[in-house]
Amino acid sequence: MEALLLLIALVAIFGVAVYPAMRRRRLRQSLGQGGAGPLRAVDPSAGYGFVPADELDVRLPGPDRELVEALEETQRTQDYQPVARLLAFTGDEYELRWQRVQSLAGAAAMELASSRAHAGDAGGKAAGAEGPPDAGAAGVSFSKDRPTALPDARWLREWRAQQPRDHGGAQVYAQFLVFQALADANSSAYRIILEEAREVARDAAKLAPTDPTPYITELFIARHLGYREADFESLWATVRRLAPTHMGAHLAALPYWSAKAVGSKQQADDFARTAAAHAPEGTLLPALPLFAAYDHLPEVNMVRGLYRSEEISKAVEAAEYAVDQVEDDHPVRPHVLHLLVWFLVRAERYGEAMEALAAVDGHVGAVPWVDEGDPAAAYAAYRALAVAGWEATGGARASH
């Protein structure tokens, strides 16, 4: 689940492995196939209308054309106005706003990281260091074309300096600071940066008291600063008062209760199941137990039928129900669909996996693919397994 929050903001959105993968399981280990190489060569796109493997977009879990256009313009010109307008027009669509805030913060964090890497690389060359030209100097942009001038996130600094009372800029900057801290969790400045992020988030909350976005950022901070349960519960109560069915907020809160933080598998399951049980129609909350299950899978699976167990089957069916209850353009829906593909293939439910693939194919910036070194290869491997399994069980013949 930790990876999910980073994916929405960093790896998944921009498809650059700036931060290490946070999960332990590698695709080759979990599939037991001796590596994904042979599977990657199987590209079913020609026969089923899927996007070719080498054209999969690892930057986003699903399409957001307005975000892409605004961010490309801001990165090209280093003018914050396009992304500031984007957030202003997003208004109180809080699920979408939260995801876009993280996307913009992630862009800024990666711009700065690339700029610093480029400067360090240039310094090394000047001192006589060996290495290929422009090593480590890939620009951070949605564009596939390499920028001629490497951006350095000046646009975010100017946004904060020139518009200090713009709550959108404050929200993006708070999340940016979180990513700066997480880029080096062993740094002596780690806690200092997180505490600064908390102060900026609280300032943002004062500027727009009904917007849950900065409080959701603080949920993430709380997990890393080790809030006491009473303090976390108080923060969570505020989030729930402002946005009781916000899927992103629940995904941000879930890791706090996991075995990796203050809780346990049981506490994480209880949190997810309670949210799902009380979810009104038309929300994604019934899918939350699937994320809890994913986050607590055993290191080594010795149970052949784990993915067909009652617990997993119920979580999968609830997630399928959830994605059917929301609009196709719900900003978090693609995340649920991607995770469904992973579980459905493992459970050998290939027909359902094909349906999920048809709904989400093309963008692969999502858990579980971003937990691997090459998200596109991981996704393509599972897609190939789904197609092969579907055909082997007569699916292709039945469709004609």
Side-chain angles (χ1 to χ4, degrees):
M1 194 56 48
E2 188 89 333
L4 174 65
L5 300 174
L6 288 177
L7 97 85
I8 294 175
L10 295 168
V11 183
I13 301 294
F14 305 101
V16 180
V18 173
Y19 303 105
M22 294 187 173
R23 298 286 295 186
R24 305 171 303 280
R25 301 179 308 281
R26 305 299 299 166
L27 182 62
R28 65 191 61 185
Q29 295 171 330
S30 58
L31 287 176
Q33 298 289 334
L39 289 173
R40 191 178 185 181
V42 180
D43 188 351
S45 59
Y48 295 91
F50 291 137
V51 174
D54 59 356
E55 296 179 16
L56 291 168
D57 191 336
V58 300
R59 304 168 301 180
L60 294 162
D64 187 343
R65 181 182 55 81
E66 291 178 338
L67 171 64
V68 169
E69 291 177 354
L71 184 54
E72 282 189 336
E73 180 67 12
T74 285
Q75 290 182 313
R76 184 181 65 81
T77 64
Q78 289 297 292
D79 179 2
Y80 67 87
Q81 292 290 347
V83 294
R85 285 194 299 268
L86 176 74
L87 275 191
F89 290 141
T90 304
D92 60 359
E93 297 180 59
Y94 291 133
E95 292 267 19
L96 180 60
R97 185 181 186 87
W98 173 68
Q99 185 153 301
R100 284 177 168 177
V101 163
Q102 298 203 47
S103 302
L104 297 174
M110 292 177 64
E111 279 189 20
L112 186 59
S114 293
S115 178
R116 289 174 173 173
H118 179 71
D121 185 62
K125 287 182 172 59
E130 296 182 0
D134 297 324
V140 180
S141 172
F142 276 109
S143 173
K144 295 182 180 179
D145 298 325
R146 194 187 190 112
T148 56
L150 197 68
D152 63 355
R154 183 175 70 251
W155 57 270
L156 180 55
R157 297 192 298 274
E158 293 182 353
W159 190 0
R160 283 291 290 151
Q162 297 178 21
Q163 300 290 334
R165 298 196 60 78
D166 182 345
H167 68 285
Q171 290 171 357
V172 173
Y173 190 64
Q175 192 67 53
F176 165 81
L177 289 172
V178 172
F179 298 144
Q180 288 294 99
L182 295 182
D184 187 2
N186 296 318
S187 168
S188 59
Y190 173 71
R191 289 190 64 88
I192 295 173
I193 297 173
L194 284 175
E195 288 167 358
E196 182 183 356
R198 178 172 58 190
E199 292 305 310
V200 176
R202 290 177 176 177
D203 287 344
K206 293 175 183 176
L207 293 171
T210 61
D211 189 339
T213 307
Y215 296 104
I216 300 172
T217 294
E218 189 174 349
L219 288 173
F220 196 39
I221 295 169
R223 183 251 192 268
H224 292 280
L225 287 183
Y227 277 28
R228 297 179 307 156
E229 287 191 22
D231 294 332
F232 187 86
E233 289 281 15
S234 176
L235 174 61
W236 179 238
T238 299
V239 174
R240 289 212 59 209
R241 175 176 57 81
L242 295 174
T245 63
H246 196 299
M247 183 62 172
H250 284 77
L251 290 173
L254 180 61
Y256 180 85
W257 299 113
S258 77
K260 300 174 183 177
V262 305
S264 63
K265 181 182 184 304
Q266 185 62 54
Q267 286 179 286
D269 286 344
D270 288 346
F271 175 82
R273 290 171 183 165
T274 298
H278 293 89
E281 294 287 333
T283 76
L284 284 172
L285 293 181
L288 200 60
L290 191 65
F291 289 89
Y294 176 74
D295 209 34
H296 289 90
L297 288 170
E299 183 82 20
V300 178
N301 176 23
M302 303 299 291
V303 181
R304 182 177 178 83
L306 173 64
Y307 298 98
R308 295 185 177 183
S309 66
E310 182 179 5
E311 177 186 1
I312 298 297
S313 294
K314 286 183 176 179
V316 166
E317 288 161 10
E320 289 181 321
Y321 170 81
V323 296
D324 286 342
Q325 296 302 305
V326 300
E327 297 294 332
D328 289 351
D329 61 354
H330 189 293
V332 187
R333 186 174 186 263
H335 294 292
V336 181
L337 286 165
H338 281 292
L339 194 58
L340 271 171
V341 168
W342 191 86
F343 274 100
L344 289 167
V345 168
R346 285 172 173 259
E348 300 179 8
R349 295 165 63 168
Y350 300 118
E352 295 162 81
M354 291 291 284
E355 291 180 10
L357 284 165
V360 81
D361 189 67
H363 295 81
V364 298
V367 162
W369 323 122
V370 296
D371 291 341
E372 305 300 331
D374 188 338
Y379 172 84
Y382 273 80
R383 187 174 67 180
L385 283 174
V387 169
W390 192 61
E391 292 180 343
T393 55
R397 291 190 298 275
S399 67
H400 295 301

